[in-house]
Amino acid sequence: MTDQEWEELYRKTERRIKKAFKIILGIIVTVIIIIALFWMGFVYRTEYKATTITTSISPDGTHELVLQAVGEAAWPFGPANGRLILLENQQKVSKRDFTIRDDGKSIRDDSWVVTWHEDYVEVILSGEEQFDEQILLYYDGRKETNLLTNTAEGARDEKQEINTESDIQENLETTFQIFGELNSEEVDSEELSQLYAKYAEVLKQIMQEHTDPNGRAYNVDERWGFENNAFAILDVDGDGREELIFNFNTGNLGSMCEVIYDYDAAKDTLREELAEWVDTTYYSNGFIKVSDSHNHGKDPEVRGIWPYTLYLYDVNTDSYQLQYYVTSWDRQINSENFPSELDTDGDGVLYYILEDGKTTEDADVQPMVRQEYDNWVKETLPEGCVMVVTYYPMTEESIWEHLESNISFD
C-alpha cells in the first residue's frame, strides 16, 4: 500500500474509534441517568412521597384532618414517618410531622384515634414499640404533643387520657392507705428544693451526655429525637419521698428501659430502685408489672396473656425485688408435653405464676385455668391500686416547668 492509502486507512480507523467511543460513552451516560432516575424515584418513594391514608371530618363539617404516610417504613423493622394536616374549609391550618415505631409496619388507618373538640382535635398515635403519643391541633394553628402511658390491667392497646391533678391526688391517697402509716415528718422546702435540683441536674446530664451519674449509658438511635424520651416525678414506692422515673425509648429495642431513681439527701446521690423494660404499670400495693419486650414463650399468639414480670417493693432494701414471672401455654401452638389433664376448662390455655426461677416444664409448678388466673390477678393486682403516672417529654422546658420552677433559691 502506498503512503497515501495507509494515511487514508488510518483516518478511517480513527473516525471509527471515535464513533465507537462516543456510542459507548453515550450508553454509559444513559445507563447512569437511568440508574440515577430509578434511585431518585426509590428515595422519593421510600423517604419523601406523601400518601394520604385516611381522613376525619369534624362533626360540623368545617374541619378536616388528613393522615399521611411520608415515605415507607425503614426496612426491616424500622420506624415509619407520617404527617397530620388540619384543614378548615379546605384551607390548611397547620401540619405536624411524626414518627411511629411499629415493628416495621407502615402507617395505616388503625395507627390513629381521632377525637374532635370545641377548639381543637385530639389525635392518639400508637405503635407496638412506643408509648402512645397525643397530638393536639388547635383550630388557631397551635400544636401540643404529649407522651402517654398505658396503666389499666390488660390495656396494652387502649388509649390513656391526660391525667388531672385530682386523679393524681386520688391515687396518691390510695397509695398511702395501702402502705399504712408513713413517715409523718413533713419534708421541708429546703429538702424538696435539693431533691428537685438533683433530679433536674441528672436529667440534664442524661440529655447532654446520654449517661447518668452512676455510669448507666443511654445509647441513642440517632433517628430519634431525645425529647421522645420521658420522665415522671412521683412517689411510686409509698415511702413519702418522690422518685424520678426516666423512660428511655429512643435506643434499639434491647436497650430501651425505665429506671426508677431514688434520692439520698445525705450523700446527695441517686440510687436505682429498679431498671427494667419500658412497658410498666405501677400499683399502690407495692407491685410493678413489666411486660416482656418480646414474647418467646409458649403462647406466641397470645390467646392467654402476654408474659410479664412482677416486682415487689422491699422496705428493708428500699428497692424492688423480683416476685413472679407470669406467662401462659397454648396447646394449639405448643402441644408437646402439654398437661391436658390440668386443663379443666378445656380452652387449651394454662397460666403459670412462676417463682424462684421455675419454668413451665418443672413438675412441681401448678398451672391455673383462666378463672383461677383471673381471681389471682384480682387479688394480687386490684384495679383500684393502679397508679396514674404522668410522663413529660425530655426537654429543657419540661424540666423547668416540673422541677426547676419548684426550687427555692432563698
Side-chain angles (χ1 to χ4, degrees), residues 101-112:
R101 289 171 294 164
D102 199 14
D103 200 25
K105 298 183 182 70
S106 299
I107 292 173
R108 54 201 185 281
D109 186 36
D110 58 0
S111 297
W112 75 344

Side-chain angles (χ1 to χ4, degrees), residues 6 14 46 60 91 144 146 152 165 173 197 244-245 299 311 318 340 361 375 397:
W6 277 110
E14 185 180 28
T46 58
D60 62 6
Q91 299 295 317
E144 182 179 334
N146 299 287
E165 291 185 4
E173 290 174 357
L244 169 64
I245 303 173
D299 185 10
Y311 293 90
D318 192 24
S340 299
E361 304 288 352
N375 292 338
E397 293 78 10

Side-chain angles (χ1 to χ4, degrees), residues 185-212:
E185 296 180 4
E186 293 186 359
V187 180
D188 59 32
S189 60
E190 181 179 352
E191 185 174 342
L192 275 178
S193 294
Q194 188 178 1
L195 179 143
Y196 291 142
K198 191 63 178 182
Y199 287 168
E201 174 190 327
V202 170
L203 288 175
K204 288 185 176 181
Q205 177 179 334
I206 292 174
M207 288 176 59
Q208 296 165 6
E209 303 176 14
H210 298 167
T211 185
D212 70 10

Side-chain angles (χ1 to χ4, degrees), residues 49-303:
K49 183 181 179 181
T51 304
T52 296
I53 304 301
T54 185
T55 60
S56 177
I57 308 296
S58 64
D60 62 6
T62 59
H63 291 87
E64 179 181 3
L65 187 64
V66 181
L67 173 66
Q68 293 184 333
V70 179
E72 299 176 354
W75 189 88
F77 304 112
N81 296 319
R83 180 176 297 143
L84 297 171
I85 301 176
L86 178 61
L87 305 172
E88 181 177 6
N89 297 322
Q90 301 303 313
Q91 299 295 317
K92 185 166 72 174
V93 175
S94 64
K95 73 172 184 176
R96 173 67 163 80
D97 293 333
F98 63 86
T99 302
I100 289 182
R101 289 171 294 164
D102 199 14
D103 200 25
K105 298 183 182 70
S106 299
I107 292 173
R108 54 201 185 281
D109 186 36
D110 58 0
S111 297
W112 75 344
V113 173
V114 180
T115 306
W116 293 93
H117 298 271
E118 183 177 354
D119 56 352
Y120 68 92
V121 58
E122 175 192 36
V123 181
I124 305 294
L125 299 172
S126 301
E128 292 183 4
E129 300 175 277
Q130 66 173 55
F131 281 135
D132 288 353
E133 181 178 7
Q134 180 198 53
I135 298 177
L136 306 180
L137 299 177
Y138 291 84
Y139 303 151
D140 60 5
R142 291 179 296 127
K143 293 172 283 188
E144 182 179 334
T145 301
N146 299 287
L147 290 177
L148 306 179
T149 178
N150 296 331
T151 55
E153 172 66 24
R156 293 178 58 86
D157 300 320
E158 295 179 1
K159 312 299 181 232
Q160 176 184 347
E161 298 179 353
I162 293 296
N163 307 309
T164 63
E165 291 185 4
S166 60
D167 292 327
I168 297 173
Q169 183 62 36
E170 179 180 348
N171 279 271
L172 286 176
E173 290 174 357
T174 304
T175 301
F176 299 154
Q177 291 172 1
I178 293 179
F179 270 101
E181 185 177 352
L182 300 175
N183 188 343
S184 61
E185 296 180 4
E186 293 186 359
V187 180
D188 59 32
S189 60
E190 181 179 352
E191 185 174 342
L192 275 178
S193 294
Q194 188 178 1
L195 179 143
Y196 291 142
K198 191 63 178 182
Y199 287 168
E201 174 190 327
V202 170
L203 288 175
K204 288 185 176 181
Q205 177 179 334
I206 292 174
M207 288 176 59
Q208 296 165 6
E209 303 176 14
H210 298 167
T211 185
D212 70 10
N214 301 327
R216 174 178 289 276
Y218 295 103
N219 299 314
V220 179
D221 187 330
E222 297 301 332
R223 292 174 296 179
W224 304 103
F226 204 82
E227 66 275 7
N228 287 325
N229 298 307
F231 70 92
I233 308 295
L234 185 65
D235 179 15
V236 292
D237 59 18
D239 65 355
R241 181 177 59 251
E242 290 179 313
E243 285 76 42
L244 169 64
I245 303 173
F246 177 56
N247 181 277
F248 176 69
N249 57 78
T250 59
N252 59 55
L253 196 61
S255 68
M256 294 181 185
C257 62
E258 181 156 302
V259 181
I260 304 174
Y261 293 103
D262 191 25
Y263 178 57
D264 186 333
K267 298 179 180 179
D268 192 32
T269 59
L270 292 191
R271 182 179 56 81
E272 290 186 6
E273 289 192 0
L274 180 68
E276 250 291 359
W277 204 59
V278 293
D279 191 355
T280 56
T281 305
Y282 296 85
Y283 295 85
S284 58
N285 60 358
F287 279 107
I288 295 180
K289 175 184 175 183
V290 183
S291 299
D292 284 8
S293 60
H294 297 79
N295 184 359
H296 298 305
K298 294 187 174 184
D299 185 10
E301 293 187 359
V302 198
R303 286 209 305 139

Side-chain angles (χ1 to χ4, degrees), residues 314-332:
D314 184 354
V315 177
N316 296 322
T317 62
D318 192 24
S319 64
Y320 286 88
Q321 304 297 320
L322 192 152
Q323 193 77 6
Y324 306 109
Y325 181 72
V326 186
T327 187
S328 52
W329 186 344
D330 184 353
R331 181 180 56 195
Q332 293 183 2

Side-chain angles (χ1 to χ4, degrees), residues 339-397:
S340 299
E341 69 280 3
L342 301 178
D343 182 23
T344 56
D345 62 3
D347 66 354
V349 179
L350 290 173
Y351 301 83
Y352 290 79
I353 316 300
L354 303 172
E355 301 179 73
D356 302 323
K358 296 289 185 178
T359 71
T360 55
E361 304 288 352
D362 291 331
D364 59 342
V365 171
Q366 186 70 23
M368 300 178 179
V369 296
R370 184 71 200 202
Q371 187 59 56
E372 292 172 328
Y373 168 74
D374 288 343
N375 292 338
W376 178 86
V377 170
K378 290 178 181 178
E379 181 179 329
T380 309
L381 304 174
E383 290 187 6
C385 289
V386 174
M387 299 184 69
V388 176
V389 181
T390 303
Y391 290 83
Y392 308 108
M394 278 288 287
T395 63
E396 294 277 356
E397 293 78 10

